[in-house]
């Protein structure tokens, strides 16, 4: 697939490093989508790729597609089970790790955000584990552009829509470049002064401990370079 890095490929699945700006699925107004590109890639190979989890259009990183319905069912059970209530970290079947660059910093260097989220009218329990791996300032040659920002590693305990983005924004650490939940005036300033055009959220690693024994890491996009 042109311009899409393949991170892992075997008889059960293909894992790619999805670029930011590419929709995962087609729909109204979507000209190009990852599912369509995957179908084209496997058209002559007798395999049917099926997505078993999702990433936001503006989020980059690790994304897995199963090869065929049997594999899709097996992977779906693993992904559905990764956030079962009461599971310890070691027992989770699938671990999804993310890197985010945020304005400001959470109050504690690590912790678990458990703010409930409203999803399609229903209030859902939600859980995001985080760890601060860097704090710094962003400055040009003559001025400070951003007095404090933080780089976080995050792990999903549940998989709600826009969960990481919403949880961080609710806890005074909005993701840089997030035009839906972020700091809009800061994003505008960063676009003008640093050329930042993408949200700084990346699905960095996927671990599947049971059955398939997969551990795949996606390198950060180049536009993270000034921050990490």
């Amino acid at each position: 697939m042109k311009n899409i890095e393949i991170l892992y490929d075997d008889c059960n699945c293909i894992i790619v490093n999805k670029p930011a700006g590419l929709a995962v699925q087609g729909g109204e107004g979507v000209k190009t989508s990852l599912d369509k590109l995957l179908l084209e890639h496997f058209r002559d190979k007798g395999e049917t790729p099926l997505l078993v989890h999702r990433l936001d259009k503006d989020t980059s990183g690790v994304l897995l597609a199963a090869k065929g319905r049997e594999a899709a069912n097996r992977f779906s059970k693993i992904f559905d089970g990764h956030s079962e209530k009461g599971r310890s970290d070691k027992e989770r079947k699938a671990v999804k790790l993310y890197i985010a660059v945020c304005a400001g910093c959470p109050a504690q260097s690590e912790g678990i955000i458990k703010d409930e989220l409203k999803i399609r009218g229903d209030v859902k329990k939600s859980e995001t584990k985080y760890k601060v791996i860097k704090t710094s300032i962003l400055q040009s040659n003559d001025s400070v552009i951003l007095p404090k920002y933080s780089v976080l590693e995050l792990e999903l305990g549940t998989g709600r829509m826009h969960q990481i983005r919403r949880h961080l924004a609710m806890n005074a650490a909005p993701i840089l470049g997030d035009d839906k939940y972020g700091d809009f005036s800061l994003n505008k300033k960063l676009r003008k002064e640093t050329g930042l055009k993408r949200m700084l959220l990346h699905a960095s690693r996927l671990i599947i401990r049971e059955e398939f024994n997969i551990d795949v890491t996606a390198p950060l996009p180049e536009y993270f370079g000034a921050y990490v």
Side-chain angles (χ1 to χ4, degrees), residues 60-95:
S60 59
V62 178
L63 194 138
L64 181 149
K67 294 182 179 179
R69 295 198 176 279
E70 181 181 349
N73 288 335
R74 290 157 66 195
F75 278 112
S76 292
K77 289 179 181 178
I78 289 172
F79 279 100
D80 289 344
H82 91 280
S83 59
E84 288 179 10
K85 184 178 180 181
R87 280 189 178 273
S88 69
D89 292 343
K90 292 183 179 180
E91 293 174 324
R92 286 179 179 168
K93 293 182 178 181
V95 177

Side-chain angles (χ1 to χ4, degrees), residues 129-180:
K129 181 184 291 187
Y130 73 88
K131 178 171 62 177
V132 178
I133 57 179
K134 176 183 177 180
T135 59
S136 188
I137 63 172
L138 182 66
Q139 60 185 53
S140 63
N141 293 331
D142 56 357
S143 66
V144 173
I145 300 172
L146 184 57
K148 186 173 185 180
Y149 73 87
S150 56
V151 182
L152 275 57
E153 181 181 73
L154 304 116
E155 179 182 340
L156 288 177
T158 55
R160 310 303 182 196
M161 182 182 295
H162 299 166
Q163 177 178 310
I164 290 175
R165 299 164 66 181
R166 296 170 70 183
H167 267 173
L168 291 176
M170 293 164 70
N171 286 271
I175 298 173
L176 300 186
D178 187 343
D179 288 331
K180 187 175 181 66

Side-chain angles (χ1 to χ4, degrees), residues 38-221:
L38 286 168
L39 284 171
E40 292 174 352
H41 179 73
F42 286 102
R43 180 172 293 164
D44 300 324
K45 300 182 181 182
E47 297 172 323
T48 303
L50 299 170
L51 297 170
V52 291
H53 67 126
R54 307 286 186 269
L55 291 177
D56 295 343
K57 179 180 178 180
D58 295 323
T59 302
S60 59
V62 178
L63 194 138
L64 181 149
K67 294 182 179 179
R69 295 198 176 279
E70 181 181 349
N73 288 335
R74 290 157 66 195
F75 278 112
S76 292
K77 289 179 181 178
I78 289 172
F79 279 100
D80 289 344
H82 91 280
S83 59
E84 288 179 10
K85 184 178 180 181
R87 280 189 178 273
S88 69
D89 292 343
K90 292 183 179 180
E91 293 174 324
R92 286 179 179 168
K93 293 182 178 181
V95 177
K96 301 176 186 177
L97 298 177
Y98 293 75
I99 297 293
V101 183
C102 305
C105 186
Q108 304 296 323
S109 61
E110 59 182 282
I112 302 176
I113 301 171
K114 294 185 177 182
D115 297 317
E116 295 181 337
L117 296 174
K118 194 171 184 179
I119 309 294
R120 299 187 182 90
D122 295 325
V123 176
K124 300 286 188 179
K125 291 184 178 179
S126 306
E127 181 180 301
T128 303
K129 181 184 291 187
Y130 73 88
K131 178 171 62 177
V132 178
I133 57 179
K134 176 183 177 180
T135 59
S136 188
I137 63 172
L138 182 66
Q139 60 185 53
S140 63
N141 293 331
D142 56 357
S143 66
V144 173
I145 300 172
L146 184 57
K148 186 173 185 180
Y149 73 87
S150 56
V151 182
L152 275 57
E153 181 181 73
L154 304 116
E155 179 182 340
L156 288 177
T158 55
R160 310 303 182 196
M161 182 182 295
H162 299 166
Q163 177 178 310
I164 290 175
R165 299 164 66 181
R166 296 170 70 183
H167 267 173
L168 291 176
M170 293 164 70
N171 286 271
I175 298 173
L176 300 186
D178 187 343
D179 288 331
K180 187 175 181 66
Y181 303 101
D183 183 326
F184 308 126
S185 60
L186 175 60
N187 289 340
K188 184 177 180 179
K189 180 180 180 181
L190 291 174
R191 279 194 296 271
K192 180 180 179 181
E193 300 197 29
T194 72
L196 181 64
K197 298 178 181 179
R198 295 294 186 188
M199 178 174 67
L200 297 183
L201 176 63
H202 178 71
S204 59
R205 188 177 178 189
L206 173 64
I207 305 168
I208 299 177
R209 296 193 172 103
E210 297 186 16
E211 188 174 354
F212 297 101
N213 194 28
I214 291 171
D215 188 344
V216 175
T217 299
L220 287 168

Side-chain angles (χ1 to χ4, degrees), residues 1-6 16-19 22 34 37:
M1 291 176 289
K2 187 177 181 181
N3 300 324
I4 298 180
E5 180 183 9
I6 296 174
V16 301
N17 186 4
K18 186 190 85 69
L22 176 64
L34 181 61
L37 294 175

